[in-house]
Amino acid sequence: MAHLHIKNLQAGYGKKMILDNINLTVEQGEMIALLGPSGCGKTTLLNALCGFVPVSNGEIFAGDRAVSQLPAEKRNITMVFQSYALWPHMTVAQNIGYGLKVQKAKRVEIENRVTELLNIVKLEGLEDEKVTALSGGQRQRVALARALAIRPDVLVLDEPLSNLDAKVRLSVRHEIKALQKQLGFTSLIVTHDQEEALVMADRIAVLNQGKIEQIGTPEEIYHHPSTPFVADFMGAENHIEWPTNDDAFHLSLNNHAAPLDIYFRSENAVLSTQPSAIKDDFHTGLVINGHVAQSVFFGNNYQISVRCGKHTIQADHDQNLPEHTPVTLRVPIDALYAFTKNEKHSEHQKNHAVSV
Amino acid sequence: MRQTTSRNLLKNHLWLIAPAALMVGIFFLYPLCFSLYSAITLDNGAFTLSHLHKAFELYSNDILFTIVIVLSSVVILAVLSVTIAALITLSPFRSLTKTLGFLYRLPLFIPFIVTAQMMRTFLAKNGLMNNAFVASGLLTPMDTVSFLGWSGIIITFVWKQLAFSTLLISGAMAALDDSQIRAARNLGASRLRILFQIILPQIIPTLGVAMVLSIVTMMSVLSVPLMIGTGSPTMMTADMAFRINSYGDYHVANALGLVSYCICAGLAWFYLRQNLKEKGAN
Ligand SMILES: Nc1ncnc2c1ncn2[C@@H]1O[C@H](COP(=O)(O)OP(=O)(O)O)[C@@H](O)[C@H]1O
Ligand SMILES: [Mg+2]
């Protein structure tokens, strides 16, 4: 295993550029999640790393080797595919041992390594099974074992969990993470699911339209999104543009002359049904008055859609509320993500302009 | 439940398939059975093996020749069409493969007799190919050889069937998940290794089908041995035509037909078995 270093990478299909100036370092033994919406170029980035998509600019280092001009078979970067990509005419053991067979390893050596890997991914005794006879979770574990068998410098995983059903997904997710800790492989995992990224990754890189918007630990990304896109993608889906020119909104940031984009999570909007009792303490950043438009049961709480003027704000609440109930929402100041409008990508207002 | 309804349906609507069954019966089964019957009976209807005996006595060389020609063609065909299909699937040069993908389909639209005529002018001692060699100074007119004869027949068969079998095979290759090939490259496998260890094992059934269908086609072509062959030995179709045209000897012609049925039936059995196996797998 070695570290992976991506420098000013540009890649695309033909003349169509998909990835724009990607810079990313994955430390040895680290797992980074590439998080982004569908179509933003995550798979393309992995394909460029593996050599399936030509790199038009920049360099990729696996350890100290520059690999961007090497053919795919010489890079020693292996991929776990979204569709598993197992070979149906081979048994489990043949699939896992194939990379070693290609390297002309001795038969005993291959057998030992296959047994070892079957133990690691908890598929003991299935070596002679046809891969077509396995369940989705088992197939993905075979694919993982196959990719690890040749001890690659870097392992990349392309949405490895997206074809599994919810319950299996949780267990495989846990296993991949445990395995990564145990074996310490350098890896880059692609996902469009923020929860998956938060749980599995040491660091997260949020990708949007072929650009990395922010890199950081899960906590940083979750609590301190540096761009509106990241805030929105990490679940702060309530968005208002300040000034709203609407009496229902009271913002108490002390420096908000400039137009702002404000984002916050529904779970941080504290809902109360006594509109009279507005008594803001200094922690409250935003107060919104409105009416219940809809209430949806979410298991452990209700998600209430609150209509205030032309905005609809989502808030979590522990009780069902009838429509048209007048309510007040209060959002604490440190749960507000405010970005100055014109320089969307440069400044994180929450850390600078906003103070209590 | 479902069984009974489908059985009822079958009973009530049996007449729907009657026209089709009748057509098959009149135009296919009846002539087939009659030809088989004629191969093993005398004019008065008594059973005999004398026609078959005569067919083997006179034409065993030609039967052997036919089998050798067809098998050689089919082997060459398999190698060439797998190569072309693999180039199309695995080549990193996209534009080249597009041209190739178009070119190899051309023979599909040219009838056998036209192909035979074309090959005749191309392969003869003073044909296009040799003229080109002479003009380019590679050969003198004295050195040229005619490819008419067994080699010409093979060339024509391969040329004509190549499009069909490449189409089937490259279709099967294209149907394989691209990530299967990527997974192998990822683990260090070269393109050649991927062809033999990942792709070929998965398209063997299709390859078999393409070859069997090609064999049956080649067994039934008359124009090519007549126009490109040199007379003796020749292929069974030419012998059959000769028996009928020159002697009006339908019995021996049918006996030869019986032999070629048997060869094809063996292959058809293989074809059906593969088909069933594939269905069972899915
Ligand atoms: N083979 C291809 N040829 C041309 N464009 C492609 C190809 N594959 C993907 N794209 C385009 O590249 C963009 C990024 O795709 P992809 O990397 O697959 O996104 P994702 O983040 O969902 O994995 C998309 O706009 C897609 O349309
Ligand atoms: Mg993708």
Side-chain angles (χ1 to χ4, degrees):
Chain A
M1 289 287 162
H3 66 90
L4 172 73
H5 183 52
I6 304 168
K7 207 174 142 193
N8 302 334
L9 182 79
Q10 263 188 358
Y13 303 95
K15 289 196 182 70
K16 192 167 104 193
M17 275 300 137
I18 304 291
L19 299 173
D20 183 18
N21 201 21
I22 301 279
N23 283 290
L24 182 64
T25 302
V26 189
E27 301 297 342
Q28 177 152 353
E30 187 185 32
M31 179 176 250
I32 287 193
L34 270 179
L35 180 63
S38 197
C40 73
K42 306 182 296 290
T43 302
T44 308
L45 177 54
L46 296 195
N47 282 340
L49 293 180
C50 289
F52 305 135
V53 166
V55 170
S56 52
N57 223 328
E59 189 50 89
I60 301 164
F61 297 93
D64 298 326
R65 294 185 305 141
V67 298
S68 72
Q69 300 309 318
L70 293 179
E73 53 269 32
K74 299 237 165 69
R75 293 198 180 189
N76 207 23
I77 298 176
T78 56
M79 168 122 93
V80 173
F81 294 84
Q82 190 171 6
S83 59
Y84 320 132
L86 298 177
W87 303 301
H89 59 291
M90 296 187 193
T91 63
V92 170
Q94 285 168 335
N95 265 282
I96 298 177
Y98 188 75
L100 294 170
K101 190 174 149 195
V102 169
Q103 293 177 353
K104 303 203 169 63
K106 293 203 184 67
R107 223 177 119 170
V108 199
E109 206 176 300
I110 297 179
E111 272 169 22
N112 289 342
R113 180 77 177 143
V114 169
T115 315
E116 185 189 339
L117 280 160
L118 283 171
N119 278 326
I120 290 178
V121 298
K122 305 203 182 72
L123 291 175
E124 300 94 338
L126 290 182
E127 46 268 76
D128 295 325
E129 206 71 40
K130 278 258 166 202
V131 289
T132 43
L134 301 182
S135 71
Q138 288 173 324
R139 286 184 200 198
Q140 198 53 289
R141 279 183 271 174
V142 173
L144 186 63
R146 177 179 70 180
L148 287 173
I150 62 165
R151 297 188 171 85
D153 286 336
V154 179
L155 179 76
V156 299
L157 305 102
D158 189 4
E159 309 208 19
L161 306 175
S162 64
N163 281 345
L164 303 174
D165 52 47
K167 219 172 148 195
V168 181
R169 188 181 306 170
L170 288 186
S171 74
V172 177
R173 176 169 99 185
H174 175 74
E175 276 166 32
I176 293 181
K177 183 63 201 163
L179 217 60
Q180 195 264 331
K181 279 206 174 121
Q182 179 194 340
L183 304 178
F185 46 80
T186 309
S187 54
L188 199 54
I189 182 169
V190 156
T191 172
H192 61 256
D193 183 289
Q194 48 137 321
E195 187 182 308
E196 219 168 275
L198 291 173
V199 173
M200 296 180 81
D202 299 315
R203 283 192 296 152
I204 297 176
V206 182
L207 202 63
N208 180 27
Q209 298 186 342
K211 283 199 178 90
I212 293 185
E213 293 246 343
Q214 187 178 0
I215 305 178
T217 62
E219 290 84 354
E220 277 167 15
I221 300 273
Y222 191 84
H223 291 301
H224 309 288
S226 64
T227 69
F229 175 82
V230 177
D232 186 21
F233 201 73
M234 293 311 292
E237 42 197 6
N238 284 314
H239 174 213
I240 55 176
E241 295 181 8
W242 195 263
T244 53
N245 302 323
D246 190 338
D247 292 341
F249 293 81
H250 302 276
L251 184 67
S252 41
L253 301 179
N254 70 349
N255 180 8
H256 58 266
L260 296 176
D261 270 314
I262 298 174
Y263 292 82
F264 58 94
R265 296 192 171 84
S266 61
E267 69 206 43
N268 292 327
V270 180
L271 187 146
S272 69
T273 44
Q274 284 102 29
S276 56
I278 297 184
K279 214 177 89 193
D280 295 321
D281 58 29
F282 60 90
H283 286 302
T284 305
L286 182 66
V287 180
I288 306 166
N289 294 309
H291 295 273
V292 174
Q294 196 186 32
S295 174
V296 180
F297 183 51
F298 254 67
N300 46 7
N301 57 21
Y302 289 84
Q303 184 156 62
I304 316 275
S305 302
V306 179
R307 190 89 204 132
C308 6
K310 57 187 196 308
H311 290 82
T312 301
I313 306 290
Q314 309 292 336
D316 290 355
H317 194 51
D318 51 3
Q319 283 163 22
N320 196 2
L321 293 176
E323 272 178 43
H324 307 305
T325 314
V327 292
T328 304
L329 301 175
R330 290 187 178 78
V331 190
I333 204 157
D334 47 2
L336 286 179
Y337 308 123
F339 306 94
T340 10
K341 244 188 155 25
N342 298 328
E343 315 160 73
K344 272 187 185 170
H345 299 275
S346 59
E347 218 176 344
H348 182 192
Q349 288 289 313
K350 188 171 159 272
N351 291 337
H352 307 290
V354 181
S355 59
V356 285
Chain B
M1 190 59 208
R2 218 171 109 215
Q3 275 231 321
T4 51
T5 48
S6 71
R7 200 169 287 161
N8 275 344
L9 255 171
L10 203 65
K11 243 182 233 161
N12 295 338
H13 300 277
L14 203 56
W15 56 271
L16 276 176
I17 62 161
L22 210 65
M23 293 292 266
V24 171
I26 292 175
F27 293 110
F28 179 69
L29 283 181
Y30 173 70
L32 176 69
C33 292
F34 185 79
S35 129
L36 291 181
Y37 172 80
S38 149
I40 53 172
T41 48
L42 294 171
D43 280 337
N44 61 15
F47 174 77
T48 177
L49 285 178
S50 62
H51 308 310
L52 273 171
H53 187 250
K54 195 167 172 189
F56 274 108
E57 200 174 41
L58 290 174
Y59 299 115
S60 59
N61 262 346
D62 288 351
I63 293 173
L64 201 66
F65 180 75
T66 306
I67 292 175
V68 169
I69 288 277
V70 167
L71 288 185
S72 330
S73 308
V74 96
V75 168
I76 297 171
L77 188 61
V79 172
L80 282 182
S81 49
V82 166
T83 311
I84 294 176
L87 279 178
I88 291 170
T89 314
L90 288 173
S91 165
F93 310 108
R94 286 271 149 232
S95 57
L96 180 131
T97 58
K98 263 188 201 146
T99 325
L100 195 61
F102 169 73
L103 273 182
Y104 84 82
R105 277 169 222 232
L106 278 181
L108 210 55
F109 305 101
I110 301 175
F112 254 115
I113 188 143
V114 178
T115 311
Q117 175 58 35
M118 211 171 75
M119 282 297 166
R120 205 181 148 79
T121 52
F122 184 67
L123 298 173
K125 188 164 166 57
N126 52 358
L128 279 178
M129 185 178 69
N130 283 328
N131 282 348
F133 279 139
V134 171
S136 67
L138 284 172
L139 293 175
T140 66
M142 305 300 281
D143 299 326
T144 57
V145 268
S146 165
F147 276 90
L148 299 181
W150 62 270
S151 49
I153 297 179
I154 293 180
I155 292 173
T156 313
F157 279 161
V158 170
W159 191 86
K160 171 71 178 123
Q161 284 305 104
L162 193 59
F164 167 75
S165 76
T166 308
L167 207 59
L168 279 189
I169 291 167
S170 61
M173 285 189 186
L176 287 183
D177 184 3
D178 205 30
S179 56
Q180 280 192 24
I181 293 166
R182 291 181 167 186
R185 294 191 56 201
N186 224 283
L187 295 171
S190 64
R191 287 194 164 80
L192 202 64
R193 187 185 271 273
I194 291 173
L195 174 61
F196 282 107
Q197 294 179 342
I198 305 292
I199 298 178
L200 273 187
Q202 296 191 61
I203 59 136
I204 284 288
T206 311
L207 181 62
V209 166
M211 292 308 113
V212 169
L213 292 181
S214 294
I215 289 176
V216 174
T217 307
M218 292 182 220
M219 294 282 293
S220 60
V221 172
L222 176 62
S223 53
V224 175
L226 282 187
M227 291 171 74
I228 301 204
T230 44
S232 177
T234 186
M235 296 187 67
M236 289 161 72
T237 44
D239 293 331
M240 285 183 239
F242 176 72
R243 272 334 283 182
I244 292 168
N245 292 339
S246 308
Y247 296 101
D249 182 359
Y250 284 89
H251 289 301
V252 173
N254 281 328
L256 280 171
L258 181 58
V259 173
S260 87
Y261 287 144
C262 289
I263 298 172
C264 292
L267 294 165
W269 171 78
F270 170 83
Y271 172 79
L272 287 177
R273 207 187 53 159
Q274 281 303 337
N275 253 7
L276 288 179
K277 235 197 235 167
E278 253 176 86
K279 290 231 174 76
N282 293 336

